[in-house]
């Protein structure tokens, strides 16, 4: 994909329009986008606004402009700057929900497998794998210094000798490090059905085809047991 | 025989209505719930009234004197309407006051029960009542009326002051979707007064719009041109405690600076006007309607704004919606005329 000087991917006007229409068709859109008088109170309360060029007021204004190009301009990096804390929705005097609009746009980005969505979701592939294939979110073996810099200087110690440390925990830990808890095969099969029905597997296939294949192999194994 | 008319509420509108009717020879019963006449301007000791910044005392004092010196007005203080019923085209009311209960028949009724100031503590983002130096316009008005312009926390002159508009107005979250109409003008007036008192103090006004309607437009020109008041477009999102006994206003300057976090010595919240608990109470007692904003409903906003939905009961002043004192006085006179005509026809 080609990008303009603002890092926004270059697509046809028709495509921009299509994306905007898709957002507007979402059942939440009408509730989230109401009148907006540029008061800025949402942006004043928005945590990432202090660190990035990101403003929920602009999210609302771009939507209100009815200009597909302005909405498209947010689809790449912009929508991923939001923390989804919904402070904006709590304080907007018009009851707008800029964070909610962001959620709608992100979902489109993921559903359609846009590059920005792939990039943002890449670091979460381990979590996605654990979650969808094993019904666990985080297991001990995922605790590695590279992935948890925010844990501070003790991450090194925390990630060493995992089997030994597991033994010291006074509750059933399966004595393994690749799972946090045991999920029964019946429960897993039910989870797979839910993920299938809800379109989760399909989304993974779009944003990360190789991850999807790994997950599907495990799913097939569990199902044939 | 002279007509009998009941006026409920002894603020600017009620006082003016009572005086006008008394001048026409009507027997007026003026019922006030407080221990004094003058309504909110008296209660909260307003200092100057816009647009001409004449002392509030001149206006309110004049009205009170007019009512008190008129023998056609029977005055009831600390009083309320205990019961009320229609009696053909007339009305029968029990007035309860410190001197006991009295049952009277009236030819018509004027309701002028006014408004309540929005309580900013209801909107937690402003931290009202949490910090001493966060006050609202009625607090500042009272302080200035007492000649005090200093910080409540330490009695010192403030280095800088933030005035935040639209507190409790134009906000679906607090449930008041309307503009309170007078707070912009009052706030700009207060900014000028602050600057006149402490020329060194920096004064900021944070606005969504500056609605100094009509002839008051040049009030904020004056604030900017003569007093260098900073008028910044952006509503404040949060007020927190800051260093050196300051309060920090956090928000977005939507036109110039982007995000800001500014420590202030004092913050003044331009809290708006509400129908108050007395509006539903009156609606209930008199069998008249409330509007969707919690004020008393006018029969026809343009054609008969002083009529309630019930024949013979008239409305004046801020009980039908936010308005300035000058407008409330005008309405008192207009409602008096309507009530007089009705009484004349049916007595
Ligand atoms: S939900 Fe997003 S846009 Fe809204 S305040 Fe939180 S970070 Fe900002
Ligand atoms: S708080 Fe609401 S009205 Fe104000 S700028 Fe944000 S979205 Fe618009
Ligand atoms: S008069 Fe001004 S401060 Fe008051 S509600 Fe209207 S716009 Fe807001």
């Amino acid at each position: 994909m080609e990008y303009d000087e603002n890092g926004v991917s270059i697509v046809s006007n028709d495509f921009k329009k299509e994306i905007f229409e898709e957002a507007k068709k979402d059942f939440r859109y009408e509730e989230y986008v109401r009148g907006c008088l540029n008061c800025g109170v949402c942006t004043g309360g928005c945590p990432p606004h202090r660190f990035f060029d990101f403003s929920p007021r602009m999210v609302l204004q771009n939507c209100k402009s009815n200009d597909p190009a302005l909405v498209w301009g947010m689809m790449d990096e912009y929508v991923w700057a939001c923390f989804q804390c919904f402070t904006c929705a709590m304080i907007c005097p018009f009851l707008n929900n800029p964070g909610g609009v962001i959620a709608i746009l992100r979902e489109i980005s993921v559903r359609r497998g846009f590059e920005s969505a792939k990039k943002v979701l890449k670091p979460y592939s381990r979590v996605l794998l654990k979650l969808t294939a094993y019904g666990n979110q985080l297991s001990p073996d995922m605790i590695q210094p590279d992935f948890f810099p925010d844990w501070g200087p003790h991450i090194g110690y925390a990630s060493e000798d995992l089997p030994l440390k597991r033994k010291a925990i006074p509750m059933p830990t399966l004595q393994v490090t690749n799972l946090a808890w045991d999920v029964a095969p019946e429960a897993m099969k039910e989870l797979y059905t839910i993920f299938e029905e809800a379109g989760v597997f399909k989304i993974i296939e779009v944003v990360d085809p190789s991850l999807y294949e790994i997950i599907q192999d495990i799913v097939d194994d569990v199902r044939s047991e | 025989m002279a007509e009998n008319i009941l006026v409920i509420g002894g603020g600017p509108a009620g006082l003016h209505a009572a005086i006008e009717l008394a001048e026409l020879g009507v027997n007026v019963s003026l019922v006030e719930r407080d221990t004094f006449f003058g309504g909110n301007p008296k209660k909260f000791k307003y200092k100057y009234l816009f647009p001409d910044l004449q002392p509030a005392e001149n206006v309110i004092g004049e009205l009170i004197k007019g009512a008190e010196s008129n023998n056609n007005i029977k005055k009831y203080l600390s009083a309320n309407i205990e019961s009320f019923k229609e009696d053909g085209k007339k009305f029968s009311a029990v007035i309860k006051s410190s001197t006991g209960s009295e049952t009277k028949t009236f030819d018509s009724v004027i309701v002028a029960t006014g408004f309540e100031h929005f309580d900013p503590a209801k909107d937690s983002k402003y931290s009202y009542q949490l910090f001493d130096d966060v006050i609202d316009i009625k607090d500042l008005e009272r302080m200035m009326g007492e000649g005090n312009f200093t910080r409540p926390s330490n009695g010192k002159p403030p280095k800088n002051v933030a005035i935040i508009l639209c507190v409790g107005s134009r906000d679906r979250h607090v449930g008041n979707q309307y503009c309170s109409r007078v707070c912009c003008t009052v706030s700009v007036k207060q900014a000028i007064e602050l600057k006149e008192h402490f020329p060194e103090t920096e004064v900021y006004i944070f606005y969504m719009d500056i609605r100094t309607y009509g002839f008051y437009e040049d009030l904020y020109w004056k604030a900017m041109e003569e007093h260098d008041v900073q008028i910044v477009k952006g509503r404040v999102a949060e007020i927190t405690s800051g260093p050196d006994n300051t309060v920090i206003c956090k928000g977005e300057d939507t036109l110039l600076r982007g995000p800001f976090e500014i420590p202030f010595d004092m913050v003044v919240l331009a809290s708006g006007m509400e129908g108050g608990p007395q509006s539903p109470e009156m609606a209930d007692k008199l069998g008249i309607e409330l509007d969707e904003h919690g004020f008393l409903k006018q029969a026809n906003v343009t054609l008969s704004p002083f009529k309630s939905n019930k024949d013979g009961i008239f409305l004046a002043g801020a009980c039908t919606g936010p308005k300035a004192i000058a407008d409330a006085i005008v309405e008192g006179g207009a409602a008096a005329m309507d009530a007089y005509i009705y009484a004349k026809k049916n007595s």
Side-chain angles (χ1 to χ4, degrees), chain B residues 30-78:
Chain B
L30 179 59
V31 176
E32 166 58 46
R33 64 176 172 175
D34 272 316
T35 54
F36 50 87
F37 289 118
N40 281 329
K42 186 84 183 169
K43 186 170 176 180
F44 295 102
K45 300 191 178 135
Y46 294 0
K47 191 181 174 218
Y48 292 118
L49 303 183
F50 68 78
D52 55 355
L53 300 190
Q54 63 176 310
E57 197 42 44
N58 288 4
V59 175
I60 307 302
E62 195 64 28
L63 287 169
I64 296 173
K65 218 163 61 210
E68 275 175 352
S69 62
N70 199 314
N71 290 330
N72 284 352
I73 305 175
K74 170 94 189 184
K75 284 141 295 240
Y76 298 88
L77 286 169
S78 310

Side-chain angles (χ1 to χ4, degrees), chain A residues 39 43 50 57 89 92-94, chain B residues 172-173 234-235 252 259 261:
Chain A
C39 73
T43 303
R50 304 172 64 188
R57 175 174 64 82
C92 167
F94 286 69
Chain B
R172 282 176 169 145
H173 276 291
R235 239 171 137 149
E252 185 198 10
E261 278 173 41

Side-chain angles (χ1 to χ4, degrees), chain B residues 80 101 182 186 208 216 222 230 252 314 324 333 346:
Chain B
N80 62 61
S101 286
V182 297
V186 172
M208 182 152 83
Y216 313 136
K222 180 177 169 183
Q230 296 292 312
E252 185 198 10
F314 301 91
N346 295 304

